């Protein structure tokens, strides 16, 4: 079995790694695996030390603050909350919570629960809990039937491949998306609520049950569609964008890449408009792109305000800049706040990554894989297009969904586990111990599959 | 150290239990602790068997379906989604998703994302992710600054103690709350949107920038408060209640109990109006009330449609009736969907609970604790009131918050860990191996504390 999907990209250094097998059987570690603490109130004595060995040793630039969480969705949910609190505190200035805020928040109303939003991108996947789901736009089946927030959604670039042939088109496409981001921020924040409309009662109930004629109501019904449109417009106009969330590579949505320049400019827009910039590295983080975090490719000293992780990191959580620290205890909190036994494993995983130079390996093996895929694309353009990748985080498009699914199924029958994403893409998500010879093994098997494919 | 809080009620059978220490060190279990699968697509070979030994062996009545999750918040979030999908399918009938639903859901709009709600109770705590937080109403600091959903909130009974002295008053209080629940369901579901108001443009922008006089706008500003009120009313009227969520005992909100009869009637109301009934047993479940699930005290054959758990169960998750099964794959899904290593531990925990008859112990030791607390209440009525409890799930009220916090702090300095909840309550959340002699040990220490308290 050659697993190139690794439990939806969540196994860092392969199965049964001897270093982890040893660790879990050491008697001094047993307690960590069976006595799970409430980390927010009673962290174990050596917890900070353990975090320094694990997560803090790979803290992204400028983000010294860390919260662990049980999974990726909880990480994004709590990152949103951190952003909302920070934004509201900026607006509020030095004053404390008002009585009205304290009262209205208990019944889910403004101003206590303000109409803030997180701007996200079409095609994005940030998780499936209700806050996350409002920023997820990869597949309808994830979202249908679930109430949501009316938050702004910008287009994500759809690059044309091969990149070197479409330089100008792709630049224009990225510029168009960035312009839309900026427009949405301004539109959602600046327009006054009172410009949007005025609402009157057809039956003035509180004012004495003043009725209007039946004809009035018939007309009312006629314009109900217009009313509907206006309400939608109205609601759209008041969702101040507190933050922007983006994946360095849109993964579930079909492995959609954008240039490093796109992300640098997006970062600039967030800074210009005072929105927090949240980079979701749940799938891209942990080394598979050849850097520990995919955003390191952008080469920024100030790459983000918040960065979430999970999957290969074995625990969920997020890093953030000190400025976004909550101003009171228990604002970002839950019972477990992660799990020290996962940090214990992660510390060893990071040791292995460093000791075995697995980031360099991801670059090298990824190049072998990508080169081979480009070769297959040249030989089988009817089956393979838009080959793309960074490190081992590679993918290509099949001509359509049925063909994609059939290719995955045949590969599975030959002992190769692949994953789909988007409408018709196949994605590669091997572990960090995927080597050049694994790439060649796969390419040989897949070449045979394509040769026989009907 | 006498820990009566047990990591916010999340340690089932005490620290370092020999059965768990043995389990984690057995070589054949090592793989389960280090190779975490994506359970939704690649469950381990023996996973169903392991679930039968653990969670399915304690499945609540009528709820044969099970999903595991990483934590309590994810459990409630996904329980909400299961309810919304079920409710929408009931409305939709046998037809599939419409094109409009599939398109609108991608941009967070109705009809794809319908305006459904979950009815919750004032004082409730159901978690802190954005969906859960819309049903949490225990403390302002949990909610302030976070955007929310406009969902209905009913009052939860505030019973007077001692119960035997206030039978009639408490019955009336419960009847009032139930009536409000039913009113809210009817109000949020039945009233037509078009009755609420009509919205017109003060500047008809799309229609040609038709302006009105400045005087018109001055008047507009004058009535802006009224407009605001109407908007709030308008929005309130269209959030169809798809489900009701309730804790068998409101825990974070101050250990608020209601009678078994209250819950039986609430269950009836949910059935009558076709709303799903979701019982949140994250804190009450796992045996501490003397039954494995607190709702078993209600004596119903059909206690709930969905029941969520976490904490003492070591993994999050939810049981539900077969009728609520999603009608397509990947609708309730995430990468990990829980963690088999937690199920492995839980199977052993359940063995220990059965072997050592720890439910009976919780009843017995709880009685020793409650009797002792009633005695202290009689001796120190100035410090202790409203003593209440079920099994070891006991609590009392201090006269005010500073006194409560001081009592907790003094107890801590004498080696006793207690927890607060609500404004001024102290809650007991010992593990299931809390025995009569631990109760007496605590009562002696606390009696001394009260005798010296100033």
């Amino acid at each position: 079995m050659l697993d190139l999907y690794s439990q939806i990209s969540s196994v860092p250094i392969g199965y049964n790694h001897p270093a982890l097998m040893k660790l879990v059987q050491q008697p001094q570690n047993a307690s960590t695996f069976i006595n799970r603490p409430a980390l927010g109130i009673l962290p174990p004595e050596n917890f900070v030390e353990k975090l320094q060995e694990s997560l803090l040793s790979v803290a992204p630039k400028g983000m010294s603050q860390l919260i662990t969480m049980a999974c990726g969705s909880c990480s994004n949910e709590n990152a949103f909350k951190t952003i909302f609190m920070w934004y509201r505190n900026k607006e509020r200035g030095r004053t404390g919570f008002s009585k009205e805020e304290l009262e209205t928040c208990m019944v889910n109303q403004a101003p206590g629960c303000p109409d803030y939003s997180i701007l996200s991108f079409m095609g994005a996947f940030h998780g499936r809990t209700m806050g996350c789901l409002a920023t997820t736009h990869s597949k309808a089946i994830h979202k249908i039937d679930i109430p949501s927030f009316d938050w702004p959604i910008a287009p994500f670039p759809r690059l044309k491949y091969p990149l070197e042939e479409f330089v100008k088109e792709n630049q224009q496409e990225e510029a168009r998306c960035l312009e839309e981001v900026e427009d949405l921020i301004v539109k959602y924040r600046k327009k006054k609520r009172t410009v949007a409309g005025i609402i009157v009662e057809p039956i003035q109930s509180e004012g004495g049950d003043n009725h209007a004629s039946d004809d009035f109501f018939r007309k009312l019904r006629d314009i109900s569609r217009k009313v509907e449109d206006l309400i939608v417009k109205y609601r759209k106009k008041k969702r101040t964008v507190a933050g922007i969330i983006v994946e360095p590579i849109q993964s579930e949505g079909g492995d959609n890449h954008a240039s490093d320049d796109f992300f640098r400019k997006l970062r600039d827009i967030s800074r210009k408009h005072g929105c927090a910039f949240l980079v979701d590295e749940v799938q891209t983080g942990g080394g598979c792109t050849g850097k520990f975090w995919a955003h390191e490719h952008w080469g920024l000293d100030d790459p983000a305000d918040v960065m979430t992780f999970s999957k290969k990191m074995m625990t969920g959580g997020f890093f953030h800049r000190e400025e976004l620290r909550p101003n009171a205890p228990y604002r970002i909190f839950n019972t477990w706040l992660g799990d020290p036994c996962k940090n214990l494993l992660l510390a060893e995983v990071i040791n292995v990554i460093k000791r075995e130079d697995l980031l360099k390996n991801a670059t090298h093996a990824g190049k072998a894989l990508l080169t081979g895929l480009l070769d297959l694309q040249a030989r089988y353009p009817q089956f393979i297009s838009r080959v793309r990748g960074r490190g081992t985080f590679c993918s290509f498009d099949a001509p359509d969904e049925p063909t994609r699914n059939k290719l995955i199924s045949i590969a599975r029958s030959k002992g190769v586990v692949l994953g789909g994403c988007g409408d018709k893409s196949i994605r590669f998500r091997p572990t960090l111990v995927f080597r050049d010879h694994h790439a060649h093994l796969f390419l040989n098997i897949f070449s045979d599959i394509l040769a026989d494919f009907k």
Side-chain angles (χ1 to χ4, degrees), chain A:
Chain A
M1 179 73 84
L2 180 62
D3 185 359
L4 303 184
Y5 196 32
S6 61
Q7 312 292 333
I8 319 183
S9 200
S10 69
V11 177
I13 53 171
Y15 301 94
N16 296 314
H17 195 288
L20 299 182
M21 289 296 271
K22 191 176 155 197
L23 182 144
V24 74
Q25 289 176 80
Q26 279 167 340
Q28 72 268 29
N29 290 333
S31 160
T32 306
F33 285 94
I34 66 170
N35 298 317
R36 190 175 187 175
L39 275 174
I41 56 169
L42 292 161
E45 213 175 357
N46 64 347
F47 189 61
V48 173
E49 198 180 291
K50 280 283 156 206
L51 284 180
Q52 271 157 353
E53 285 170 23
S54 58
L55 285 162
L56 291 169
S57 79
V58 292
K61 275 189 186 168
M63 285 174 267
S64 57
Q65 311 294 302
L66 169 66
I67 305 273
T68 54
M69 287 283 160
C71 69
S73 288
C74 285
S75 307
N76 277 331
E77 289 275 342
N78 281 283
F80 293 179
K81 289 173 60 174
T82 301
I83 288 170
F84 292 135
M85 286 156 28
W86 161 81
Y87 196 91
R88 188 77 188 94
N89 274 340
K90 278 201 305 176
E91 283 199 337
R92 192 182 274 127
R94 295 163 59 97
T95 62
F97 307 129
S98 73
K99 187 162 175 286
E100 194 187 4
E101 284 176 321
L102 289 165
E103 285 171 4
T104 52
C105 79
M106 294 299 276
V107 290
N108 302 8
Q109 302 293 332
C113 298
D115 271 331
Y116 288 163
S117 65
I118 300 288
L119 183 144
S120 57
F121 288 91
M122 192 51 71
F125 182 93
H126 300 294
R128 292 158 168 272
T129 49
M130 291 187 75
C132 294
L133 199 59
T135 63
T136 285
H137 318 279
S138 47
K139 282 188 182 151
I141 198 71
H142 302 157
K143 290 177 67 73
I144 199 158
D145 298 348
I146 314 302
S148 193
F149 292 105
D150 181 18
W151 290 355
I153 307 154
F156 192 82
R158 292 285 156 150
L159 301 186
K160 289 186 179 165
Y161 290 84
L163 294 177
E164 56 277 18
E165 280 178 31
F166 296 99
V167 172
K168 201 176 164 195
E169 289 88 340
N170 288 337
Q171 278 173 353
Q172 282 171 347
E173 167 68 355
E174 294 197 338
R176 179 186 74 88
C177 295
L178 289 168
E179 201 176 319
E180 182 76 8
V181 168
E182 201 154 6
D183 281 357
L184 282 166
I185 293 170
V186 173
K187 207 188 287 178
Y188 272 67
R189 182 180 294 171
K190 290 288 169 64
K191 288 198 180 172
K192 295 279 180 292
R193 294 182 68 159
T194 41
V195 177
I198 151 170
I199 196 161
V200 299
E201 286 173 295
I203 304 174
Q204 296 183 329
S205 317
E206 299 304 315
D209 268 24
N210 305 316
H211 289 251
S213 70
D214 290 346
D215 186 53
F216 176 83
F217 285 105
R218 275 190 289 270
K219 284 180 182 156
L220 195 57
R221 190 191 286 171
D222 290 343
I223 59 165
S224 68
R225 173 159 285 280
K226 189 162 184 196
V227 169
E228 192 75 31
D229 287 350
L230 278 164
I231 288 162
V232 170
K233 255 195 228 170
Y234 180 93
R235 297 185 59 209
K236 277 209 179 153
K237 281 174 184 162
K238 51 166 180 155
R239 308 272 175 180
T240 301
V241 177
I244 297 172
I245 183 169
V246 72
E247 299 151 272
I249 301 166
Q250 282 193 342
S251 310
E252 299 302 318
D255 269 31
N256 306 314
H257 295 247
S259 70
D260 296 336
D261 190 51
F262 173 82
F263 289 103
R264 286 190 288 262
K265 284 177 176 158
L266 191 60
R267 179 48 171 144
D268 284 343
I269 289 174
S270 83
R271 206 181 285 110
K272 174 178 167 192
H273 292 280
C275 308
F277 192 57
L278 163 49
V279 177
D280 178 341
E281 293 250 22
V282 169
Q283 190 152 165
T284 50
C288 45
T289 69
K291 302 222 182 242
F292 203 92
W293 306 112
H295 72 251
E296 292 173 46
H297 293 282
W298 309 339
L300 292 174
D301 283 331
D302 175 32
D305 296 300
V306 189
M307 193 211 74
T308 52
F309 58 83
S310 190
K311 289 192 184 264
K312 280 194 171 56
M313 303 303 289
M314 314 191 85
T315 175
F318 58 106
F319 289 96
H320 63 82
R321 290 176 52 233
E322 193 164 1
E323 189 188 334
L324 279 86
R325 233 181 127 93
N327 63 343
Y330 298 104
R331 297 197 75 182
I332 296 296
F333 188 83
N334 61 45
T335 298
W336 285 322
L337 285 173
D339 188 342
C341 84
K342 302 300 182 190
N343 295 328
L344 191 66
L345 292 168
L346 178 62
E348 191 57 30
V349 164
I350 291 173
N351 279 341
V352 170
I353 291 174
K354 289 175 182 165
R355 200 167 60 221
E356 302 185 9
D357 207 356
L358 293 181
L359 298 186
K360 199 169 162 195
N361 177 65
T363 305
H364 203 272
K367 198 171 170 192
L369 176 61
L370 195 70
T371 306
L373 288 172
L374 287 166
D375 175 57
L376 289 177
Q377 175 177 262
R379 286 160 55 202
Y380 300 99
Q382 70 274 38
F383 299 133
I384 296 190
S385 65
R386 301 182 81 242
V387 166
R388 54 206 184 272
R390 199 149 216 180
T392 60
F393 205 100
C394 295
S395 50
F396 66 83
D397 282 7
D400 51 48
E401 193 174 350
T403 306
R404 185 265 308 268
N405 294 349
K406 203 171 159 193
L407 284 171
I408 290 176
S409 164
I410 295 171
R412 182 74 176 263
S413 73
K414 310 242 180 222
V416 177
V417 183
L418 291 171
C421 65
D423 295 330
K424 54 182 182 182
S425 301
I426 286 182
R427 58 176 152 171
F428 296 83
R429 296 294 184 272
T431 72
L432 298 175
V433 296
F434 174 84
R435 308 276 177 183
D436 289 26
H437 68 271
H438 296 118
H440 297 306
L441 179 60
F442 161 75
L443 290 163
N444 286 338
I445 295 171
F446 205 63
S447 173
D448 290 347
I449 291 172
L450 292 170
D452 292 342
F453 195 76
K454 287 169 197 81

